[in-house]
mmCIF file of all heavy atoms in Angstrom:
data_model
loop_
_atom_site.group_PDB
_atom_site.id
_atom_site.type_symbol
_atom_site.label_atom_id
_atom_site.label_comp_id
_atom_site.label_asym_id
_atom_site.label_seq_id
_atom_site.Cartn_x
_atom_site.Cartn_y
_atom_site.Cartn_z
ATOM 1 N N PRO A 2 -29.311 -28.948 -33.045
ATOM 2 C CA PRO A 2 -27.916 -28.432 -33.245
ATOM 3 C C PRO A 2 -26.958 -29.408 -32.614
ATOM 4 O O PRO A 2 -27.201 -29.885 -31.478
ATOM 5 C CB PRO A 2 -27.949 -27.081 -32.544
ATOM 6 C CG PRO A 2 -29.061 -27.160 -31.568
ATOM 7 C CD PRO A 2 -30.055 -28.140 -32.117
ATOM 8 N N ILE A 3 -25.874 -29.720 -33.310
ATOM 9 C CA ILE A 3 -24.926 -30.738 -32.857
ATOM 10 C C ILE A 3 -23.500 -30.218 -33.022
ATOM 11 O O ILE A 3 -23.233 -29.554 -34.048
ATOM 12 C CB ILE A 3 -25.075 -32.037 -33.718
ATOM 13 C CG1 ILE A 3 -26.481 -32.599 -33.603
ATOM 14 C CG2 ILE A 3 -24.017 -33.070 -33.349
ATOM 15 C CD1 ILE A 3 -26.790 -33.683 -34.643
ATOM 16 N N LEU A 4 -22.656 -30.502 -32.087
ATOM 17 C CA LEU A 4 -21.247 -30.250 -32.195
ATOM 18 C C LEU A 4 -20.548 -31.554 -31.963
ATOM 19 O O LEU A 4 -20.702 -32.181 -30.937
ATOM 20 C CB LEU A 4 -20.779 -29.198 -31.185
ATOM 21 C CG LEU A 4 -19.302 -28.815 -31.258
ATOM 22 C CD1 LEU A 4 -19.046 -28.039 -32.545
ATOM 23 C CD2 LEU A 4 -18.894 -28.020 -30.056
ATOM 24 N N LEU A 5 -19.765 -31.975 -32.980
ATOM 25 C CA LEU A 5 -18.850 -33.153 -32.812
ATOM 26 C C LEU A 5 -17.523 -32.609 -32.316
ATOM 27 O O LEU A 5 -16.963 -31.658 -32.939
ATOM 28 C CB LEU A 5 -18.670 -33.855 -34.151
ATOM 29 C CG LEU A 5 -19.876 -34.606 -34.754
ATOM 30 C CD1 LEU A 5 -19.444 -35.340 -36.026
ATOM 31 C CD2 LEU A 5 -20.519 -35.527 -33.792
ATOM 32 N N ASP A 6 -17.011 -33.226 -31.311
ATOM 33 C CA ASP A 6 -15.720 -32.844 -30.707
ATOM 34 C C ASP A 6 -14.798 -34.040 -30.760
ATOM 35 O O ASP A 6 -14.945 -35.005 -30.015
ATOM 36 C CB ASP A 6 -15.993 -32.369 -29.283
ATOM 37 C CG ASP A 6 -14.732 -32.063 -28.486
ATOM 38 O OD1 ASP A 6 -13.630 -31.947 -29.076
ATOM 39 O OD2 ASP A 6 -14.839 -31.876 -27.252
ATOM 40 N N VAL A 7 -13.846 -34.015 -31.698
ATOM 41 C CA VAL A 7 -12.854 -35.103 -31.812
ATOM 42 C C VAL A 7 -11.746 -34.757 -30.807
ATOM 43 O O VAL A 7 -10.955 -33.844 -31.027
ATOM 44 C CB VAL A 7 -12.333 -35.255 -33.219
ATOM 45 C CG1 VAL A 7 -11.330 -36.396 -33.320
ATOM 46 C CG2 VAL A 7 -13.471 -35.472 -34.213
ATOM 47 N N HIS A 8 -11.727 -35.516 -29.715
ATOM 48 C CA HIS A 8 -10.976 -35.131 -28.542
ATOM 49 C C HIS A 8 -9.961 -36.226 -28.138
ATOM 50 O O HIS A 8 -10.304 -37.389 -28.177
ATOM 51 C CB HIS A 8 -11.983 -34.914 -27.401
ATOM 52 C CG HIS A 8 -11.360 -34.467 -26.113
ATOM 53 N ND1 HIS A 8 -11.197 -33.120 -25.827
ATOM 54 C CD2 HIS A 8 -10.888 -35.138 -25.064
ATOM 55 C CE1 HIS A 8 -10.644 -33.011 -24.627
ATOM 56 N NE2 HIS A 8 -10.462 -34.221 -24.163
ATOM 57 N N ALA A 9 -8.786 -35.788 -27.671
ATOM 58 C CA ALA A 9 -7.834 -36.687 -27.114
ATOM 59 C C ALA A 9 -7.462 -36.172 -25.704
ATOM 60 O O ALA A 9 -7.237 -34.943 -25.562
ATOM 61 C CB ALA A 9 -6.571 -36.759 -27.973
ATOM 62 N N TRP A 10 -7.428 -37.002 -24.733
ATOM 63 C CA TRP A 10 -7.212 -36.604 -23.372
ATOM 64 C C TRP A 10 -5.860 -35.913 -23.189
ATOM 65 O O TRP A 10 -5.661 -35.081 -22.333
ATOM 66 C CB TRP A 10 -7.319 -37.794 -22.378
ATOM 67 C CG TRP A 10 -6.253 -38.813 -22.576
ATOM 68 C CD1 TRP A 10 -6.289 -39.951 -23.362
ATOM 69 C CD2 TRP A 10 -4.958 -38.824 -21.971
ATOM 70 N NE1 TRP A 10 -5.116 -40.651 -23.270
ATOM 71 C CE2 TRP A 10 -4.247 -39.962 -22.412
ATOM 72 C CE3 TRP A 10 -4.296 -37.979 -21.068
ATOM 73 C CZ2 TRP A 10 -2.964 -40.255 -22.040
ATOM 74 C CZ3 TRP A 10 -3.006 -38.309 -20.709
ATOM 75 C CH2 TRP A 10 -2.357 -39.427 -21.163
ATOM 76 N N TRP A 11 -4.878 -36.260 -23.985
ATOM 77 C CA TRP A 11 -3.511 -35.768 -23.880
ATOM 78 C C TRP A 11 -3.262 -34.469 -24.689
ATOM 79 O O TRP A 11 -2.166 -33.944 -24.632
ATOM 80 C CB TRP A 11 -2.529 -36.872 -24.337
ATOM 81 C CG TRP A 11 -2.967 -37.555 -25.595
ATOM 82 C CD1 TRP A 11 -3.648 -38.741 -25.690
ATOM 83 C CD2 TRP A 11 -2.767 -37.081 -26.939
ATOM 84 N NE1 TRP A 11 -3.879 -39.035 -27.046
ATOM 85 C CE2 TRP A 11 -3.321 -38.023 -27.807
ATOM 86 C CE3 TRP A 11 -2.155 -35.958 -27.508
ATOM 87 C CZ2 TRP A 11 -3.326 -37.902 -29.188
ATOM 88 C CZ3 TRP A 11 -2.155 -35.839 -28.917
ATOM 89 C CH2 TRP A 11 -2.730 -36.813 -29.704
ATOM 90 N N CYS A 12 -4.277 -34.014 -25.383
ATOM 91 C CA CYS A 12 -4.110 -32.886 -26.314
ATOM 92 C C CYS A 12 -4.402 -31.552 -25.627
ATOM 93 O O CYS A 12 -5.536 -31.304 -25.224
ATOM 94 C CB CYS A 12 -5.061 -33.119 -27.489
ATOM 95 S SG CYS A 12 -5.218 -31.720 -28.599
ATOM 96 N N PRO A 13 -3.425 -30.666 -25.520
ATOM 97 C CA PRO A 13 -3.663 -29.362 -24.871
ATOM 98 C C PRO A 13 -4.621 -28.481 -25.676
ATOM 99 O O PRO A 13 -5.365 -27.713 -25.099
ATOM 100 C CB PRO A 13 -2.272 -28.736 -24.796
ATOM 101 C CG PRO A 13 -1.439 -29.439 -25.766
ATOM 102 C CD PRO A 13 -2.041 -30.820 -25.926
ATOM 103 N N VAL A 14 -4.646 -28.630 -26.998
ATOM 104 C CA VAL A 14 -5.582 -27.850 -27.835
ATOM 105 C C VAL A 14 -7.006 -28.319 -27.539
ATOM 106 O O VAL A 14 -7.906 -27.512 -27.416
ATOM 107 C CB VAL A 14 -5.240 -27.938 -29.313
ATOM 108 C CG1 VAL A 14 -6.289 -27.290 -30.176
ATOM 109 C CG2 VAL A 14 -3.887 -27.318 -29.594
ATOM 110 N N CYS A 15 -7.193 -29.621 -27.394
ATOM 111 C CA CYS A 15 -8.525 -30.179 -27.066
ATOM 112 C C CYS A 15 -9.004 -29.655 -25.728
ATOM 113 O O CYS A 15 -10.158 -29.312 -25.585
ATOM 114 C CB CYS A 15 -8.482 -31.700 -27.035
ATOM 115 S SG CYS A 15 -7.992 -32.525 -28.572
ATOM 116 N N ALA A 16 -8.082 -29.604 -24.771
ATOM 117 C CA ALA A 16 -8.461 -29.084 -23.402
ATOM 118 C C ALA A 16 -8.888 -27.616 -23.492
ATOM 119 O O ALA A 16 -9.889 -27.237 -22.878
ATOM 120 C CB ALA A 16 -7.307 -29.240 -22.464
ATOM 121 N N SER A 17 -8.204 -26.843 -24.300
ATOM 122 C CA SER A 17 -8.573 -25.445 -24.453
ATOM 123 C C SER A 17 -9.899 -25.305 -25.134
ATOM 124 O O SER A 17 -10.758 -24.499 -24.722
ATOM 125 C CB SER A 17 -7.482 -24.707 -25.271
ATOM 126 O OG SER A 17 -7.833 -23.355 -25.501
ATOM 127 N N GLN A 18 -10.116 -26.096 -26.173
ATOM 128 C CA GLN A 18 -11.423 -26.068 -26.842
ATOM 129 C C GLN A 18 -12.539 -26.459 -25.902
ATOM 130 O O GLN A 18 -13.592 -25.820 -25.892
ATOM 131 C CB GLN A 18 -11.433 -27.043 -28.032
ATOM 132 C CG GLN A 18 -10.592 -26.602 -29.200
ATOM 133 C CD GLN A 18 -10.533 -27.646 -30.296
ATOM 134 O OE1 GLN A 18 -10.735 -28.833 -30.064
ATOM 135 N NE2 GLN A 18 -10.248 -27.220 -31.509
ATOM 136 N N ASN A 19 -12.300 -27.489 -25.104
ATOM 137 C CA ASN A 19 -13.311 -27.950 -24.146
ATOM 138 C C ASN A 19 -13.689 -26.858 -23.139
ATOM 139 O O ASN A 19 -14.863 -26.712 -22.814
ATOM 140 C CB ASN A 19 -12.819 -29.237 -23.423
ATOM 141 C CG ASN A 19 -13.851 -29.843 -22.586
ATOM 142 O OD1 ASN A 19 -14.961 -30.125 -23.042
ATOM 143 N ND2 ASN A 19 -13.552 -30.117 -21.325
ATOM 144 N N HIS A 20 -12.711 -26.148 -22.693
ATOM 145 C CA HIS A 20 -12.952 -25.024 -21.757
ATOM 146 C C HIS A 20 -13.843 -23.985 -22.411
ATOM 147 O O HIS A 20 -14.822 -23.527 -21.803
ATOM 148 C CB HIS A 20 -11.619 -24.414 -21.316
ATOM 149 C CG HIS A 20 -11.737 -23.261 -20.412
ATOM 150 N ND1 HIS A 20 -12.087 -23.401 -19.075
ATOM 151 C CD2 HIS A 20 -11.634 -21.958 -20.616
ATOM 152 C CE1 HIS A 20 -12.197 -22.218 -18.518
ATOM 153 N NE2 HIS A 20 -11.895 -21.316 -19.429
ATOM 154 N N THR A 21 -13.542 -23.661 -23.647
ATOM 155 C CA THR A 21 -14.376 -22.625 -24.369
ATOM 156 C C THR A 21 -15.768 -23.175 -24.598
ATOM 157 O O THR A 21 -16.745 -22.414 -24.390
ATOM 158 C CB THR A 21 -13.666 -22.278 -25.699
ATOM 159 O OG1 THR A 21 -12.416 -21.682 -25.444
ATOM 160 C CG2 THR A 21 -14.515 -21.303 -26.508
ATOM 161 N N ILE A 22 -15.875 -24.431 -25.025
ATOM 162 C CA ILE A 22 -17.237 -24.992 -25.245
ATOM 163 C C ILE A 22 -18.060 -24.933 -24.012
ATOM 164 O O ILE A 22 -19.231 -24.499 -24.061
ATOM 165 C CB ILE A 22 -17.091 -26.412 -25.785
ATOM 166 C CG1 ILE A 22 -16.502 -26.406 -27.199
ATOM 167 C CG2 ILE A 22 -18.440 -27.145 -25.760
ATOM 168 C CD1 ILE A 22 -16.030 -27.801 -27.650
ATOM 169 N N LYS A 23 -17.488 -25.285 -22.863
ATOM 170 C CA LYS A 23 -18.237 -25.289 -21.585
ATOM 171 C C LYS A 23 -18.664 -23.901 -21.195
ATOM 172 O O LYS A 23 -19.701 -23.734 -20.552
ATOM 173 C CB LYS A 23 -17.427 -25.985 -20.520
ATOM 174 C CG LYS A 23 -17.444 -27.478 -20.696
ATOM 175 C CD LYS A 23 -16.761 -28.252 -19.603
ATOM 176 C CE LYS A 23 -16.920 -29.757 -19.847
ATOM 177 N NZ LYS A 23 -16.313 -30.522 -18.783
ATOM 178 N N GLN A 24 -17.875 -22.843 -21.486
ATOM 179 C CA GLN A 24 -18.238 -21.504 -21.225
ATOM 180 C C GLN A 24 -19.406 -21.050 -22.145
ATOM 181 O O GLN A 24 -20.349 -20.442 -21.694
ATOM 182 C CB GLN A 24 -17.082 -20.577 -21.393
ATOM 183 C CG GLN A 24 -16.055 -20.636 -20.308
ATOM 184 C CD GLN A 24 -14.901 -19.667 -20.543
ATOM 185 O OE1 GLN A 24 -14.577 -19.388 -21.669
ATOM 186 N NE2 GLN A 24 -14.314 -19.200 -19.443
ATOM 187 N N VAL A 25 -19.297 -21.337 -23.440
ATOM 188 C CA VAL A 25 -20.255 -20.890 -24.416
ATOM 189 C C VAL A 25 -21.657 -21.496 -24.119
ATOM 190 O O VAL A 25 -22.641 -20.823 -24.229
ATOM 191 C CB VAL A 25 -19.817 -21.200 -25.862
ATOM 192 C CG1 VAL A 25 -20.889 -20.944 -26.858
ATOM 193 C CG2 VAL A 25 -18.539 -20.417 -26.195
ATOM 194 N N VAL A 26 -21.702 -22.770 -23.787
ATOM 195 C CA VAL A 26 -23.007 -23.442 -23.632
ATOM 196 C C VAL A 26 -23.774 -22.983 -22.403
ATOM 197 O O VAL A 26 -24.921 -23.372 -22.220
ATOM 198 C CB VAL A 26 -22.883 -24.959 -23.630
ATOM 199 C CG1 VAL A 26 -22.260 -25.462 -24.929
ATOM 200 C CG2 VAL A 26 -22.095 -25.512 -22.426
ATOM 201 N N LEU A 27 -23.199 -22.087 -21.588
ATOM 202 C CA LEU A 27 -23.936 -21.577 -20.438
ATOM 203 C C LEU A 27 -25.029 -20.642 -20.899
ATOM 204 O O LEU A 27 -25.994 -20.383 -20.177
ATOM 205 C CB LEU A 27 -23.000 -20.858 -19.481
ATOM 206 C CG LEU A 27 -21.982 -21.763 -18.782
ATOM 207 C CD1 LEU A 27 -21.065 -20.927 -17.929
ATOM 208 C CD2 LEU A 27 -22.725 -22.805 -17.916
ATOM 209 N N SER A 28 -24.960 -20.135 -22.139
ATOM 210 C CA SER A 28 -25.976 -19.270 -22.659
ATOM 211 C C SER A 28 -27.224 -20.075 -23.014
ATOM 212 O O SER A 28 -27.147 -21.213 -23.511
ATOM 213 C CB SER A 28 -25.474 -18.611 -23.960
ATOM 214 O OG SER A 28 -26.537 -18.031 -24.702
ATOM 215 N N PRO A 29 -28.418 -19.541 -22.760
ATOM 216 C CA PRO A 29 -29.670 -20.240 -23.075
ATOM 217 C C PRO A 29 -29.810 -20.544 -24.571
ATOM 218 O O PRO A 29 -30.562 -21.448 -24.951
ATOM 219 C CB PRO A 29 -30.798 -19.300 -22.651
ATOM 220 C CG PRO A 29 -30.157 -18.175 -21.901
ATOM 221 C CD PRO A 29 -28.684 -18.251 -22.105
ATOM 222 N N ALA A 30 -29.062 -19.874 -25.418
ATOM 223 C CA ALA A 30 -29.120 -20.129 -26.850
ATOM 224 C C ALA A 30 -28.667 -21.565 -27.223
ATOM 225 O O ALA A 30 -28.970 -22.044 -28.299
ATOM 226 C CB ALA A 30 -28.277 -19.108 -27.584
ATOM 227 N N TYR A 31 -27.967 -22.197 -26.292
ATOM 228 C CA TYR A 31 -27.428 -23.519 -26.587
ATOM 229 C C TYR A 31 -28.113 -24.636 -25.809
ATOM 230 O O TYR A 31 -27.566 -25.748 -25.691
ATOM 231 C CB TYR A 31 -25.901 -23.525 -26.280
ATOM 232 C CG TYR A 31 -25.169 -22.581 -27.178
ATOM 233 C CD1 TYR A 31 -24.897 -21.263 -26.754
ATOM 234 C CD2 TYR A 31 -24.854 -22.893 -28.489
ATOM 235 C CE1 TYR A 31 -24.293 -20.348 -27.600
ATOM 236 C CE2 TYR A 31 -24.288 -21.993 -29.324
ATOM 237 C CZ TYR A 31 -23.983 -20.717 -28.888
ATOM 238 O OH TYR A 31 -23.361 -19.848 -29.752
ATOM 239 N N ASP A 32 -29.276 -24.395 -25.268
ATOM 240 C CA ASP A 32 -29.941 -25.406 -24.445
ATOM 241 C C ASP A 32 -30.400 -26.633 -25.233
ATOM 242 O O ASP A 32 -30.667 -27.661 -24.661
ATOM 243 C CB ASP A 32 -31.088 -24.825 -23.612
ATOM 244 C CG ASP A 32 -32.226 -24.231 -24.454
ATOM 245 O OD1 ASP A 32 -32.056 -24.150 -25.666
ATOM 246 O OD2 ASP A 32 -33.232 -23.872 -23.843
ATOM 247 N N LYS A 33 -30.477 -26.543 -26.563
ATOM 248 C CA LYS A 33 -30.863 -27.693 -27.379
ATOM 249 C C LYS A 33 -29.632 -28.366 -28.022
ATOM 250 O O LYS A 33 -29.768 -29.446 -28.658
ATOM 251 C CB LYS A 33 -31.866 -27.300 -28.436
ATOM 252 C CG LYS A 33 -33.161 -26.819 -27.836
ATOM 253 C CD LYS A 33 -34.250 -26.720 -28.875
ATOM 254 C CE LYS A 33 -35.527 -26.254 -28.427
ATOM 255 N NZ LYS A 33 -35.933 -26.375 -27.042
ATOM 256 N N LEU A 34 -28.458 -27.781 -27.838
ATOM 257 C CA LEU A 34 -27.246 -28.299 -28.465
ATOM 258 C C LEU A 34 -26.839 -29.625 -27.805
ATOM 259 O O LEU A 34 -26.898 -29.793 -26.567
ATOM 260 C CB LEU A 34 -26.115 -27.297 -28.279
ATOM 261 C CG LEU A 34 -24.747 -27.713 -28.848
ATOM 262 C CD1 LEU A 34 -24.747 -27.645 -30.344
ATOM 263 C CD2 LEU A 34 -23.633 -26.840 -28.282
#
């Protein structure tokens, strides 16, 4: 399983997405992602 994240350091939407991604991957369901 792969997630591509097209990210810009200056983008507030990217920062919000990154926060959500880091929360979601704490679940064992994402250990191969």
Side-chain angles (χ1 to χ4, degrees):
I3 300 167
L4 182 68
L5 294 183
D6 176 10
V7 181
H8 183 90
W10 67 268
W11 44 263
C12 170
V14 173
C15 299
S17 177
Q18 289 175 337
N19 188 50
H20 178 75
T21 299
I22 291 166
K23 286 185 176 181
Q24 285 180 330
V25 171
V26 300
L27 293 176
S28 165
Y31 298 96
D32 63 351
K33 295 193 181 336
L34 178 74

